[in-house]
Amino acid sequence: MTPQESTAPLPAPPALPAGDIARYSEIFDTCADTALEGARYMTPVAFARAIAPASSEHAPGGPSLYAKFFAVADCEARGVLSKAEFIRFQAMLRQNGAAALLPFQVISHGHVDSVDARALATLVKPDGAATNYLKDRPQATYAEFAQLMDTSHADRIRHAFSGADPQGSGCMPATSLHAVVSEFAPLDPSGLISQRLPLLARSEGGAAVGYPLFLALVSLLSDPSKIRRATEEVLQNQRLKTAVQPGAVELSQAAFTAASSLLSPLEVDVLFTLAAGHDSAPVTTLAGINAVLDACHKSLSPAAAPVLHDVPTSKPDRSVLRETAFQAYNFAIGAVAGGIGAAFVYPIDLVKTRMQNQRSAVVGEMLYKNSIDCFRKVVRNEGILGLYRGLGPQLVGVAPEKAIKLTVNDFMRSRLTSKDTGKIAFVSEVIAGGTAGACQVIFTNPLEIVKIRLQVQGEILKEAVGATTPIVRRSAVTIVKELGLLGLYKGASACLLRDIPFSAIYFSCYSHIKKDLFHEGERRLGMLDLLLAGALAGMPAAYLATPADVIKTRLQVVAKSGETVYTGLLDAARKIYKEEGFKALFKGGPARVLRSSPQFGTTLMFYELIHRMVPFPGDEHGSPADRLRQQSRELSSQATLFHAEHALRILHNANYKFGSFAPQSTKPQPIPQ
């Protein structure tokens, strides 16, 4: 069959959604650099800036090479491009065969449905069969051109790999992977995908990448929309309709392979490695896959205006009323979580207080030898309930204490997080935690002084046995009346000295342990992960704040007859050091770690779990499939930039000289509507 017998019209560009038209209009308005008769136009230089992907900034020749396609877009051959022509060109690039259609438009030079066979022959080398087919034909149709270009693309991939594998081992050095893959897929050199490519080096002791895996990687990154469509199929198959965060949605390789045929098993393996951040990950989160899509999106963003297409990382601003309701919601969850955590570790807290209140430096005169001895004697002398003496006021007070600490920390972190990057600096994390610790003292100090006096009552009652004047057990209400409003804040300076550094250390450590140790964002953190993160963060925070806690306890406890009386923060620190030594400042430190570590682990675990189970009304993240579509809504439209890059690479690799084989009239034909 001759080319004339197999002619077929060029595919018409698809109708663009209104949102894409608005986006392309915005790009045009940003890049247009000239005006004629009151209308704005693009010159070839501006056109190149508008269609060149960000990845072209790092390529030889840079974005200026894309000006070669200006003649295809300039249907009227005026030397400038209107907005309508620019949008029509983008519509052409939205077609599935755009990577072949664009070179065809460049080479055809006015032939609507055929191309000079000599020009085509330069693009399909070294395919001998294709060369033989074309050598005796003056023209080739677009359908033939597209088919041969598809085959040529596969040949180029094979030749690129062979060039990086001169030994013929079937593996290429891992150090060459980025450069070779960049020939076929857009990659941001500093992006997430580029950073994780070394994880795919599974051959020769982690120094090389095998040919099958290379093919899977190129296929995956050549069409990122496949990732989105495959993920949507998996989510729909799992029927996840509830409102959850992407980081809470776990997806498995088995689910991908079973639910979608868009990706091969090896492509799924590559995707999960890139998404999870470690080799051959059996599971990853939706957030991890979104991160891969975002990396593809970033590399496809126009070099001239990348900010137009960034996916927002910050939540929309709430109204004053809604923000107030949201903080009340956080406060309530913090109160519930704090109560659970406090009840869980209260016996340890009582032992810690009894140990810190021991004044004697002479071992024989000590009531308790150590924390374990203290625990045993409390149970023996006061019963099991003695371990929970003062728990009632603790639960009443711990609700606002923990609630305000957690709420203020979240509030400060949200305000100090960068709206541009969605990240928070370490210094800002410390400030947020310290502010939360300072605010909680309003509730902490009255709670602590009442709790401590209730906890040491057992000691006082035991020592008063046989005394002429009996001592009556006092209730929390009686203690509050005796202290008065000002008395409830006795030792507040020490409380501030303890709670500010504690919270600054704790919340900063908690955030980084979740992210760096348990890989939050790359997978869903379970109950054990949250518990361990909270417990580990509590260890350094609790122990380093022990001296301030000892001073606070001494200031708030009523001194018994013959015991040293402290007049203030510095006076207490000086006298404790002078009379009992430096070690006295860390009395109860191990007990404090044993109490604070599991308490805050439990509290933070329930705080986050309740947030997951009971999201703030109207603040849900939508179903996973809906959120995926929203986050990647621009990926398919931005793939036009990749098609342009691909087309240019086809011409460049064939050493095609623009203008070769050109007929007398070089005016490009309008793209069929």
Side-chain angles (χ1 to χ4, degrees), residues 251-301:
L251 303 172
S252 67
Q253 287 200 36
F256 258 79
T257 304
S260 177
S261 60
L262 290 170
L263 302 178
S264 70
L266 194 52
E267 288 174 354
V268 172
D269 186 14
V270 170
L271 172 61
F272 273 57
T273 296
L274 296 177
H278 53 89
D279 186 25
S280 300
V283 296
T284 189
T285 63
L286 178 57
I289 292 178
N290 282 341
V292 174
L293 284 169
D294 288 343
C296 294
H297 175 275
K298 182 179 179 182
S299 65
L300 289 169
S301 297

Side-chain angles (χ1 to χ4, degrees), residues 30 64 84 96 112 127 134 148 214 222 239 265 275-276 329 332 377 380 393 484 501 565 586 596 657:
T30 301
S64 62
N96 289 332
V112 175
D127 188 338
L134 295 170
L148 292 174
F214 168 78
S222 294
R239 298 180 181 178
Y329 157 81
K377 288 181 177 178
R380 183 173 67 243
V565 177
F586 286 90
S596 296
K657 294 180 173 57

Side-chain angles (χ1 to χ4, degrees), residues 557-620:
V557 171
V558 177
K560 291 179 284 189
S561 177
E563 290 184 334
T564 304
V565 177
Y566 308 112
T567 59
L569 184 68
L570 295 177
D571 180 64
R574 184 174 59 254
K575 288 179 179 178
I576 292 172
Y577 176 75
K578 182 178 180 180
E579 296 174 3
E580 303 173 53
F582 181 75
K583 289 184 178 180
L585 292 171
F586 286 90
K587 276 186 177 181
R592 180 170 161 76
V593 170
L594 288 174
R595 182 210 57 155
S596 296
S597 181
Q599 178 183 4
F600 276 89
T602 304
T603 300
L604 267 294
M605 178 186 71
F606 278 100
Y607 183 70
E608 297 211 22
L609 290 178
I610 295 173
H611 268 99
R612 290 182 189 177
M613 294 184 290
V614 189
F616 182 64
D619 227 28
E620 295 90 347

Side-chain angles (χ1 to χ4, degrees), residues 63 168 226 360 513 537 591:
K226 289 196 306 183
S360 178
I513 288 173

Side-chain angles (χ1 to χ4, degrees), residues 325-571:
F326 179 71
Q327 298 307 328
Y329 157 81
N330 280 339
F331 192 92
I333 293 179
V336 173
I340 296 172
F344 184 73
V345 299
Y346 191 79
I348 302 175
D349 183 60
L350 181 135
V351 170
K352 183 266 305 181
T353 301
R354 296 280 181 94
M355 288 297 299
Q356 289 181 341
N357 192 46
Q358 280 198 135
R359 310 265 180 135
S360 178
V362 181
V363 177
E365 297 178 7
M366 286 186 179
L367 183 58
Y368 312 117
K369 298 177 181 178
N370 50 49
S371 296
I372 296 176
D373 181 60
C374 177
F375 180 87
R376 289 173 178 170
K377 288 181 177 178
V378 170
V379 173
R380 183 173 67 243
N381 298 328
E382 304 173 45
I384 294 294
L385 293 180
L387 294 171
Y388 291 91
R389 197 169 306 284
L391 177 60
Q394 173 80 342
L395 292 179
V396 172
V398 83
E401 174 206 341
K402 292 295 184 290
I404 198 169
K405 175 186 289 204
L406 295 169
T407 302
V408 171
N409 178 68
D410 282 353
F411 176 80
M412 291 298 295
R413 286 180 69 92
S414 67
R415 291 299 180 270
L416 294 174
T417 297
S418 170
K419 293 183 178 180
D420 296 328
T421 64
K423 297 180 180 179
I424 182 171
F426 179 74
V427 174
S428 298
E429 289 183 310
V430 172
I431 293 174
T435 304
C439 291
Q440 81 170 77
V441 173
I442 298 172
F443 296 96
T444 301
N445 211 81
L447 164 70
E448 289 282 327
I449 195 168
V450 173
K451 179 194 72 173
I452 286 172
R453 294 197 176 189
L454 286 171
Q455 288 178 335
V456 299
Q457 252 190 144
E459 296 175 357
I460 298 174
L461 291 172
K462 182 180 179 181
E463 292 175 1
V465 174
T468 55
T469 304
I471 298 178
V472 181
R473 185 182 298 277
R474 295 174 298 169
S475 66
V477 175
T478 303
I479 294 174
V480 171
K481 288 180 179 179
E482 290 178 356
L483 289 170
L485 181 61
L486 293 178
L488 288 172
Y489 285 93
K490 184 179 181 180
S493 56
C495 208
L496 283 169
L497 187 64
R498 178 196 67 178
D499 290 343
I500 290 177
F502 176 90
S503 296
I505 296 170
Y506 179 79
F507 286 113
S508 301
C509 289
Y510 178 68
S511 174
H512 283 273
I513 288 173
K514 288 198 301 177
K515 180 175 62 177
D516 300 333
L517 186 59
F518 294 105
H519 306 290
E520 183 182 35
E522 298 175 5
R523 65 183 187 90
R524 182 184 184 184
L525 299 189
M527 292 179 61
L528 183 59
D529 297 321
L530 295 172
L531 180 63
L532 288 176
L536 291 173
M539 291 179 181
Y543 195 77
L544 293 175
T546 298
D549 194 46
V550 171
I551 293 171
K552 175 194 69 67
T553 299
R554 297 293 181 89
L555 289 173
Q556 292 178 336
V557 171
V558 177
K560 291 179 284 189
S561 177
E563 290 184 334
T564 304
V565 177
Y566 308 112
T567 59
L569 184 68
L570 295 177
D571 180 64

Side-chain angles (χ1 to χ4, degrees), residues 211-221 264 266-268 270:
Y211 184 53
L213 195 143
F214 168 78
L215 292 177
L217 176 63
V218 171
S219 175
L220 187 72
L221 300 183
S264 70
L266 194 52
E267 288 174 354
V268 172
V270 170

